Amino acid sequence: MKSLRFLAAEGFIQTGSVALGNLNCVSFNLYPLLFKACFLHEQAELLQALVRTWPLPDLIIQRLLGRSSDCELDLTSCTCRTCLHAVLTGLKDYVLSPPRTYAKRLHVVDLTALKDVEHQACPCQSTMGRWTRTQLLTQMCFETIEAMQASDLNPSALETSVNVLLNGFVTARNYDLVAQAFLLLRYCPLKVRFVSFRADSLALKQLFYVLRLAGPESMTKLEVVHNVPLEAPHLEVLLSRVKFPKLQSLTLPAGALDVRRLGADDDDLLATIGGLLAQLGNLTELYVGFSTLTGHLRRLLYPLNTPLKCLELANCCLNRVDMTYLANSLHSEALVHLDLSGHDVFGTFSVSFHKLLSRCAATLTTLILEECDIEDEHLTTFTNALAPCQALEELKLLGNPLGAVALRRLFSTLTTGFPKLRYIEVPAPRECYSEDVAYPLEEAVLLDYNRDLFQQTRGQLLGILERAGRGGVEVCTPLQGAYDPDINETSNELGVSMLKSLNSVVGNLIGTLTDVDARRSQGQRGDENSS
C-alpha cells in the first residue's frame, strides 16, 4: 500500500526536468519521500540532486528505504548500481556546492542497512555490492580532496563534516585506495567509518595496517576470511595490540585456530586468546568454522563472561569432551544461531547434543546441521531433540543421507509445531543417488542425481506444508551452496589468490622433492667413489 503523499511524490519525480527545476520549492520534510520514490523508479539524476541539496541532519538508509506508513515496500535490498552511484556522487556534490534553499545540516550518512541479494529487482538489473561501495566511496573522498584544492572553492566546504557509516570490504585489489583514503581522512569532509569490516586476500601486514587506519574503535563486526593467513599466534597479537571496544561479531578464516599447528610451547595459547576475547565485552557472535579444536573448546570459550548468541563450529572436529562442555556452558542458554555442521552428532555425542538443544530451546532460531551423517534411523531421536525448539525459524540439513520417507516424516513433524519456521534447506533424498555413493558426497557426484525423483519428493514435501497451512515456509536445496554476495562479487580475485597459493604449495613441494633427489644422487655417487 502507498499513501497519497507517496503517490504524489511518485508523480512529481516522473516529471523529469520539471522536478529538477522545482526542487528548490519542495518542503524539507518531503525529501525522504522523494528519495524513496527515486530509488523505486531509478531516477538517478533527481536522486543525485536530492542528496546534493539534502536539508536534514541525517541520511539513514534504513529509515529512507525501509517499510513505512507511506510505502510498505522495503527497498534496503535494492542495491541498484545506478542509484547508489547517484547517492555517493551526490554526497561529493553536497560538500563542494554552496548552500541553496536550506542551510547545510547533514552530519551522518548511514549506508549500513543495505542488503546484498541474489536477484535484483531494479530496472537496470545491475548491483553495487559491498566491495564496490567501499571502492567508490573511497574514490569519492579522493575526488573531494582534489576538488578542494581549487582556488574558487566555496568556503562552506571547509566547514562541512559528514560521518559516512559503511560496511567496508577490503581485498588486495582495493587495499591501496582504501588505505590512502584513510590516511587523508583528516583532510576530507567525508569521514568514512567502517561499522563492519570484511578482509579477504590480504597479507597479514596489510590487514593489521588497514585495521588501525580504519578506526577499530567504531567497528561492531570483523570478518577475516578465506585468503588471509591468520593463525592463532597472529590473532593473539591482533587482539593484544588493536582494541575493539564495540565489537559484537568476529569471524576467523578456516584453520585459524587449528590445534594441530600449535607446538608444545603454545599449550596455553587458546586460553590466552579466550582471555583476550573476554575483554571484548560486547562480543556475542563467534564464527570459527574449519578450525580443528578437538578437546580444546573449553579453553577458548570458558574465559568469556558474556554468553555467545551466535556460534559457528562447523567442521571443527569436536569430540565428546567438547560437546559436554558446550551443553553445560553459560553459552548454551543464550544461543540464537548454532552451526555444528560436519560432526556426527548422533554417532559421537547424541546425549550431549540432545541436552544442548534442550538448554537453548527458548532462544534458538537458526540450526545448521550440514553433513552430520543424520540417517533415517536417527529421525525419531532427531525430532525428539528438536521438539523443544519451538522458536526455530531456520533449519539447514544439506548433505545428510536422508531418504524420501524420512523427509516426509520430518516435514509432518515440523508442521505440528514450530510456528515461526520460515526456511528449510533439505538434501536431495538418498534414493536420488546411486546405491554405492558415500557421504559426504564428493563434488563429482553431487549434481549427478535423479532429477525427476527429486522433483517428485520436493512436491510431496511442499504438499505437506500446504495442507497444514504452512505454504509460506521456503524450502530450498542449494546443492552448490547458498548464494554469497561477497564471494560472488570478488570471485575472480579469490580464484587468482587461491591459484597463487596452490602454485606456492606445488612449488615448495617440487623444491623439496628436487632437494631430496639431489641428496640421494650425491649419496649414490659417494657410495660409488668409496667402492
Side-chain angles (χ1 to χ4, degrees):
M1 291 289 291
K2 298 176 182 177
S3 69
L4 289 176
R5 287 189 347 134
F6 193 81
L7 291 172
E10 287 183 302
F12 176 80
I13 67 163
Q14 289 170 358
T15 59
S17 58
V18 176
L20 279 170
N22 291 329
L23 196 57
N24 60 340
C25 302
V26 173
S27 174
F28 71 92
N29 61 341
L30 294 178
Y31 270 65
L33 281 177
L34 294 175
F35 186 95
K36 187 169 186 177
C38 285
F39 235 93
L40 181 59
H41 296 282
E42 210 174 271
Q43 296 289 327
E45 187 178 3
L46 183 55
L47 188 59
Q48 182 175 336
L50 279 169
V51 178
R52 181 171 59 241
T53 59
W54 196 256
L56 303 170
D58 53 45
L59 192 159
I60 300 176
I61 289 295
Q62 181 61 55
R63 292 183 196 166
L64 295 171
L65 298 184
R67 299 181 189 277
S68 68
S69 57
D70 286 300
C71 179
E72 293 182 353
L73 291 174
D74 185 351
L75 300 182
T76 54
S77 60
C78 180
T79 53
C80 169
R81 178 179 291 270
T82 301
C83 290
L84 289 175
H85 191 280
V87 170
L88 297 180
T89 306
L91 280 178
K92 181 187 74 172
D93 295 344
Y94 175 88
V95 170
L96 300 174
S97 302
R100 300 191 181 181
T101 307
Y102 299 103
K104 288 188 175 182
R105 301 173 57 205
L106 184 60
H107 295 299
V108 177
V109 175
D110 188 346
L111 305 175
T112 58
L114 290 169
K115 298 188 288 283
D116 298 299
V117 296
E118 184 173 6
H119 302 293
Q120 192 59 243
C122 66
C124 74
Q125 295 288 298
S126 180
T127 65
M128 181 182 288
R130 176 157 53 153
W131 186 92
T132 308
R133 295 196 292 270
T134 305
Q135 171 92 352
L136 182 58
L137 181 56
T138 48
Q139 181 64 45
M140 289 299 166
C141 291
F142 274 109
E143 292 180 8
T144 301
I145 294 173
E146 184 180 359
M148 290 177 67
Q149 310 305 313
S151 57
D152 59 344
L153 175 70
N154 188 276
S156 67
L158 300 174
E159 302 169 1
T160 303
S161 179
V162 182
N163 287 320
V164 186
L165 309 183
L166 182 74
N167 294 327
F169 186 5
V170 181
T171 65
R173 194 153 47 103
N174 67 351
Y175 166 78
D176 288 334
L177 182 66
V178 173
Q180 290 172 26
F182 277 115
L183 281 171
L184 297 173
L185 196 64
R186 60 187 298 183
Y187 306 108
C188 183
L190 295 175
K191 310 294 185 184
V192 181
R193 314 287 185 200
F194 283 174
V195 176
S196 76
F197 182 99
R198 181 182 175 94
D200 194 355
S201 303
L202 292 179
L204 286 175
K205 183 178 179 180
Q206 292 175 319
L207 172 67
F208 280 51
Y209 185 60
V210 76
L211 268 175
R212 285 185 177 276
L213 290 178
E217 64 278 356
S218 62
M219 294 179 190
T220 61
K221 185 174 185 177
L222 174 61
E223 299 172 90
V224 184
V225 298
H226 303 124
N227 290 307
V228 179
L230 185 75
E231 296 185 7
H234 313 130
L235 180 62
E236 181 193 8
V237 174
L238 175 64
L239 295 177
S240 299
R241 298 186 180 181
V242 183
K243 302 304 177 185
F244 300 93
K246 296 183 179 180
L247 197 68
Q248 300 171 11
S249 177
L250 176 62
T251 300
L252 300 178
L257 301 179
D258 194 334
V259 297
R260 297 171 300 178
R261 298 176 186 167
L262 302 181
D265 298 334
D266 297 324
D267 242 13
D268 295 328
L269 184 56
L270 279 186
T272 302
I273 291 173
L276 292 169
L277 292 176
Q279 295 177 20
L280 305 175
N282 296 306
L283 187 71
T284 57
E285 300 180 7
L286 185 61
Y287 302 87
V288 291
F290 293 89
S291 283
T292 300
L293 294 170
T294 313
H296 291 73
L297 185 64
R298 185 179 184 277
R299 290 192 177 194
L300 181 66
L301 300 186
Y302 179 74
L304 274 64
N305 300 313
T306 304
L308 294 172
K309 294 181 180 178
C310 297
L311 182 59
E312 183 205 359
L313 295 169
N315 296 282
C316 287
C317 299
L318 303 181
N319 62 17
R320 193 170 301 172
V321 173
D322 297 313
M323 276 301 291
T324 300
Y325 160 72
L326 184 59
N328 292 281
S329 68
L330 77 141
H331 308 291
S332 63
E333 296 183 340
L335 288 172
V336 174
H337 174 113
L338 177 62
D339 187 347
L340 292 174
S341 297
H343 295 98
D344 185 359
V345 291
F346 294 112
T348 308
F349 32 65
S350 178
V351 175
S352 298
F353 175 68
H354 196 294
K355 183 175 182 179
L356 176 61
L357 289 193
S358 67
R359 285 174 63 91
C360 66
T363 56
L364 191 66
T365 63
T366 299
L367 178 61
I368 306 175
L369 299 171
E370 297 180 359
E371 297 186 351
C372 286
D373 203 25
I374 302 175
E375 301 185 61
D376 295 5
E377 64 190 66
H378 300 134
L379 191 63
T380 300
T381 307
F382 179 43
T383 53
N384 288 340
L386 203 59
C389 304
Q390 292 298 307
L392 200 65
E393 297 178 11
E394 296 186 2
L395 179 62
K396 301 181 181 181
L397 299 171
L398 290 179
N400 288 293
L402 290 167
V405 174
L407 287 173
R408 289 196 294 268
R409 282 180 55 201
L410 174 63
F411 270 58
S412 297
T413 301
L414 293 175
T415 57
T416 59
F418 306 95
K420 297 181 180 180
L421 191 64
R422 56 180 177 80
Y423 182 82
I424 309 173
E425 284 185 4
V426 294
R430 177 68 182 80
E431 299 90 337
C432 291
Y433 294 97
S434 60
E435 293 182 1
D436 58 344
V437 299
Y439 282 77
L441 297 171
E442 297 180 356
E443 288 189 20
V445 300
L446 186 62
L447 299 178
D448 186 18
Y449 62 96
N450 186 327
R451 284 163 171 73
D452 292 336
L453 181 56
F454 169 75
Q455 289 299 336
Q456 178 184 341
T457 305
R458 175 178 166 80
Q460 292 169 348
L461 298 178
L462 294 176
I464 292 172
L465 293 173
E466 288 285 352
R467 288 190 295 274
R470 305 290 295 277
V473 176
E474 184 180 357
V475 180
C476 296
T477 306
L479 293 176
Q480 294 182 300
Y483 175 76
D484 187 317
D486 295 317
I487 291 179
N488 183 66
E489 187 179 16
T490 58
S491 56
N492 291 337
E493 183 177 3
L494 180 61
V496 170
S497 181
M498 292 177 69
L499 187 59
K500 287 181 179 178
S501 298
L502 179 61
N503 287 339
S504 176
V505 170
V506 172
N508 292 335
L509 177 61
I510 292 174
T512 302
L513 292 175
T514 303
D515 291 342
V516 170
D517 188 54
R519 287 196 297 270
R520 184 179 296 164
S521 298
Q522 289 176 355
Q524 289 174 348
R525 285 197 296 270
D527 292 341
E528 291 172 358
N529 293 334
S530 61
S531 61

